[in-house]
């Protein structure tokens, strides 16, 4: 098969992953990143088990696991300590877990792997225009009108605010900002309390107050992450605090007395005390807002060799924690489609778009449905129904709980397989059995350890 000349626009997790998979197949790959000195941006995040497959295929799983914190359960409860959701990955498989990670660790590990594979990275180049050349390839022009070459395949992976998507694919996509976002801070888990709990905790009051505490792994040495609040324990694991906030309240929050805000957070959850002690000013937290991006198809009908992946193509609410996981799957499956179609780019992109649509639509619909239950302006009946019925309903049947767990783990594909055990072929997943698992605490011990 011929070697493809590939351009990737954007060096986030989708772009990085795509570059690695395509270089592994022998293609020539060049990444264009508009930022001169790119740094990982954003809060800690949860790698779902579905992300482990692409990570293993990229040969970075072991290194990334060393920077991660295992998360075996997700526990959501309200301000009155009433459980709303109690999901344990181990209910699907005894060795199953997710992984809390900071973006600096993922970015650094993927960047190292890109260099090993020989990916060419060009920073400080802002691609703003696409044109067809005489050979029906796509030519890239930067914001100064410079010709940056013609390519057999162009992958647009420049995030939810993609200007190229809006310029060349707007008739096939819909972009809507969410009204709610989140404040977040990443701090040192000095006493390892949250890391040892192996639990992501969410505390809610109504649907307009929500906070989360998530183990976030370890920082990369000699790599400065501006989002981490520096403390006295640089070798300690990290933990991320999330605080839900409506976008129209961000300015008011910056004007609010910081100590009074901390008292409000502590009142909702005393569990946050050790984190709040580290936070000294508004500048220790950052605000992240989100977009809902709908697209069909994921390739450009105008440019038959241009495809959109990652948040650029399907950004969604982070309520299910699927963004990075879906982005890496995009990259892996796109590479597989190109190989299966023997480098026939046009056919491969059509197949990729067709096969990817059911999965992405499913998760976008679920995210849209779930978000108001956790982030909304106290819509009448929403939080009352949630607090009263969510836990009992999930406990009615093992099939209901299994279905929710499969969604959370990232393995569900469509609504049609509602009660089928698809998605987990344990031999295929090849989860490692560790000696420590035999001595792991039970769920009640975990809850006690984190609430002490």
């Amino acid at each position: 098969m011929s070697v493809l000349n590939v351009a990737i626009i954007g060096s986030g997790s989708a772009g990085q992953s795509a570059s690695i998979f395509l270089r592994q197949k022998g293609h020539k790959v060049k990444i264009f990143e508009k930022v001169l000195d790119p740094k990982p941006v954003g809060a800690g995040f949860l790698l779902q088990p579905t992300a482990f497959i692409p990570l293993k295929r990229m040969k970075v799983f072991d290194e990334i696991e060393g920077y991660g914190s295992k998360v075996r359960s997700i526990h959501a409860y309200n301000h009155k300590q009433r459980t709303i959701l109690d999901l344990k990955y181990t209910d699907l498989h005894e060795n199953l877990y997710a992984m809390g990670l900071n973006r600096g660790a993922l970015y650094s590990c993927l960047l190292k792997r890109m260099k090993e594979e020989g990916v060419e990275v060009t920073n400080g180049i802002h691609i703003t225009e696409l044109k067809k050349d005489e050979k029906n390839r796509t030519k890239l022009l930067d914001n100064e009108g410079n010709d940056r070459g013609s390519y057999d395949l162009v992958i647009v992976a420049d995030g939810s605010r993609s200007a190229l998507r809006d310029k060349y694919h707007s008739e096939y996509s819909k972009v809507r900002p969410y009204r709610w976002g989140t404040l977040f801070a990443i701090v040192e888990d000095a006493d390892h309390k949250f890391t040892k709990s192996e639990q992501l905790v969410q505390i809610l009051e109504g649907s307009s107050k929500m906070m989360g505490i998530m183990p976030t792994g370890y920082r990369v040495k000699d790599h400065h992450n501006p989002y981490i609040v520096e403390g006295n324990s640089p070798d300690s694991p990290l933990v991320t605090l999330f605080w839900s906030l409506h976008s129209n309240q961000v300015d008011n929050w910056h004007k609010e007395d910081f100590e009074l805000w901390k008292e409000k957070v502590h009142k909702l959850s005393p569990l946050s005390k050790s984190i709040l002690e580290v936070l000294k000013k508004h500048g220790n937290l950052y605000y992240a807002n989100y977009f809902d991006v709908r697209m069909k198809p994921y390739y450009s009908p105008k440019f038959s060799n241009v495809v959109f992946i990652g948040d650029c193509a399907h950004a969604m609410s982070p309520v299910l924690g699927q963004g990075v996981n879906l982005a890496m799957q995009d990259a892996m499956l796109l590479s597989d489609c190109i190989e299966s179609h023997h480098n026939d780019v046009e056919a491969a992109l059509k197949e990729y778009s067709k096969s990817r649509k059911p999965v992405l639509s499913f998760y976008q619909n679920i995210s849209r449905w779930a978000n108001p239950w956790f982030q909304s302006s106290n819509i009448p009946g929403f939080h009352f129904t949630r607090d009263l019925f969510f836990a009992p309903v999930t406990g009615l049947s093992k099939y209901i709980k299994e279905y929710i767990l499969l969604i959370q783990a990232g393995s569900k594909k469509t609504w049609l397989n509602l009660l089928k055990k698809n998605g987990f072929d344990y031999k295929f997943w090849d989860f490692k059995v560790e000696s420590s698992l035999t001595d792991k605490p039970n769920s009640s011990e975990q809850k006690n350890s984190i609430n002490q």
Side-chain angles (χ1 to χ4, degrees):
M1 292 187 291
S2 60
V3 174
L4 297 177
N5 191 20
V6 181
I8 300 175
I9 302 167
S11 62
S13 54
Q16 287 182 308
S17 300
S19 74
I20 295 168
F21 281 117
L22 290 167
R23 276 298 300 150
Q24 288 178 334
K25 301 286 175 63
H27 301 298
K28 183 179 179 181
V29 181
K30 187 172 186 177
I31 285 188
F32 292 93
E33 169 56 56
K34 68 179 180 180
V35 179
L36 183 60
D37 185 22
K39 296 286 193 304
V41 176
F45 64 98
L46 196 62
L47 276 179
Q48 301 293 349
T50 44
F52 297 174
I53 296 174
L55 289 173
K56 287 183 177 184
R57 284 183 52 179
M58 287 187 285
K59 301 178 181 178
V60 293
F61 177 80
D62 290 341
E63 184 176 10
I64 285 176
E65 188 182 36
Y67 288 113
S69 293
K70 290 181 179 178
V71 175
R72 300 188 193 275
S73 64
I74 298 174
H75 185 209
Y77 55 92
N78 70 8
H79 62 297
K80 296 180 179 180
Q81 301 294 309
R82 183 186 180 94
T83 292
I84 298 169
L85 284 175
D86 190 10
L87 302 176
K88 301 179 181 66
Y89 290 93
T90 49
D91 284 345
L92 287 174
H93 189 276
E94 62 180 348
N95 301 327
L96 190 62
Y97 58 91
M99 196 187 307
L101 201 67
N102 67 86
R103 294 179 188 273
L106 179 64
Y107 181 86
S108 299
C109 291
L110 292 179
L111 183 62
K112 177 183 174 183
R113 192 74 188 96
M114 287 161 57
K115 292 178 179 179
E116 293 170 349
E117 289 288 352
V119 175
E120 183 180 354
V121 180
T122 307
N123 294 328
I125 303 298
H126 186 190
I127 301 300
T128 58
E129 193 170 352
L130 309 178
K131 287 186 175 181
K132 282 186 177 181
D133 70 6
E134 63 280 358
K135 296 183 179 179
N136 208 35
R137 298 176 300 178
T138 295
K139 179 188 295 186
L140 306 185
L141 302 175
D142 65 22
N143 59 331
E144 297 179 351
N146 298 312
D147 185 346
R148 293 296 175 173
S150 295
Y151 299 87
D152 303 308
L153 170 63
V154 174
I155 300 172
V156 182
D158 54 352
S160 59
R161 295 174 175 84
S162 172
L164 287 173
R165 174 201 61 216
D166 295 343
K167 184 175 182 179
Y168 293 104
H169 209 59
S170 60
E171 61 186 298
Y172 303 101
S173 56
K174 294 180 180 179
V175 181
R176 181 178 65 90
Y178 275 99
R179 291 190 293 270
W180 287 79
T182 185
L183 292 164
F184 69 90
I186 306 174
V187 305
E188 295 168 356
D189 183 14
D191 58 5
H192 296 214
K193 176 175 70 173
F194 300 106
T195 302
K196 289 178 180 178
S197 76
E198 298 186 337
Q199 188 175 77
L200 187 162
V201 177
Q202 293 177 320
I203 307 97
L204 304 101
E205 182 177 352
S207 54
S208 62
K209 283 186 182 179
M210 178 179 73
M211 68 173 293
I213 299 175
M214 184 181 75
T216 311
Y218 295 80
R219 75 188 80 197
V220 178
K221 290 185 178 180
D222 303 322
H223 176 86
H224 176 65
N225 187 334
Y227 292 92
I228 297 175
V229 180
E230 298 295 340
N232 300 317
S233 307
D235 294 326
S236 293
L238 302 169
V239 59
T240 300
L241 171 75
F242 301 94
W243 179 261
S244 182
L245 192 67
H246 196 287
S247 58
N248 66 13
Q249 293 299 313
V250 177
D251 290 340
N252 290 338
W253 177 79
H254 280 284
K255 297 173 185 177
E256 184 179 355
D257 182 279
F258 192 65
E259 293 302 317
L260 288 179
W261 174 79
K262 286 168 62 174
E263 289 178 13
K264 187 189 305 182
V265 176
H266 184 264
K267 183 179 179 181
L268 181 59
S269 175
L271 183 64
S272 62
K273 181 180 179 180
S274 61
I275 298 175
L276 294 173
E277 288 173 349
V278 178
L279 304 179
K280 305 299 182 183
K281 57 184 180 179
H282 291 85
N284 290 150
L285 293 98
Y286 297 85
Y287 185 72
N289 57 347
Y290 307 105
F291 292 82
D292 182 79
V293 178
R294 296 279 177 146
M295 181 181 290
K296 183 181 180 180
Y298 299 117
Y299 65 90
S300 170
K302 181 178 179 181
F303 300 92
S304 57
N305 64 344
V306 175
V307 66
F308 303 85
I309 69 171
D311 279 352
C312 169
H314 50 74
M316 64 188 75
S317 160
V319 66
L320 295 176
Q322 296 293 336
V324 174
N325 309 279
L326 292 171
M328 289 193 289
Q329 290 174 47
D330 287 351
M332 179 179 71
L333 296 169
L334 175 61
S335 173
D336 289 347
C337 284
I338 290 170
E339 181 179 44
S340 65
H341 285 273
H342 307 288
N343 296 349
D344 182 338
V345 172
E346 185 173 359
L349 297 191
K350 288 181 178 179
E351 175 62 26
Y352 167 80
S353 185
K354 179 181 178 181
S355 62
R356 205 75 183 108
K357 186 62 179 175
V359 179
L360 296 175
S361 293
F362 176 82
Y363 276 98
Q364 288 187 306
N365 288 331
I366 286 286
S367 295
R368 275 186 166 183
W369 174 84
N371 203 68
W373 297 98
F374 297 90
Q375 281 187 315
S376 64
S377 300
N378 279 333
I379 298 173
F382 262 62
H383 65 273
F384 175 80
T385 304
R386 178 201 66 202
D387 292 0
L388 193 60
F389 294 111
F390 268 33
V393 167
T394 57
L396 281 176
S397 166
K398 68 175 183 179
Y399 296 109
I400 295 175
K401 176 166 279 192
E402 180 186 76
Y403 186 67
I404 295 173
L405 279 165
L406 288 171
I407 291 172
Q408 183 64 51
S411 75
K412 298 304 291 183
K413 297 181 180 179
T414 68
W415 294 99
L416 298 177
N417 51 23
L418 184 63
L419 295 178
K420 293 182 180 178
K421 285 189 175 182
N422 77 317
F424 277 108
D425 178 342
Y426 297 118
K427 292 182 179 178
F428 176 63
W429 284 81
D430 187 32
F431 292 116
K432 296 192 297 184
V433 178
E434 302 174 29
S435 57
S436 60
L437 293 177
T438 60
D439 299 320
K440 66 178 184 294
N442 60 36
S443 57
S444 61
E445 291 172 338
Q446 286 185 6
K447 289 179 186 176
N448 290 337
S449 69
I450 196 168
N451 284 291
Q452 289 174 350

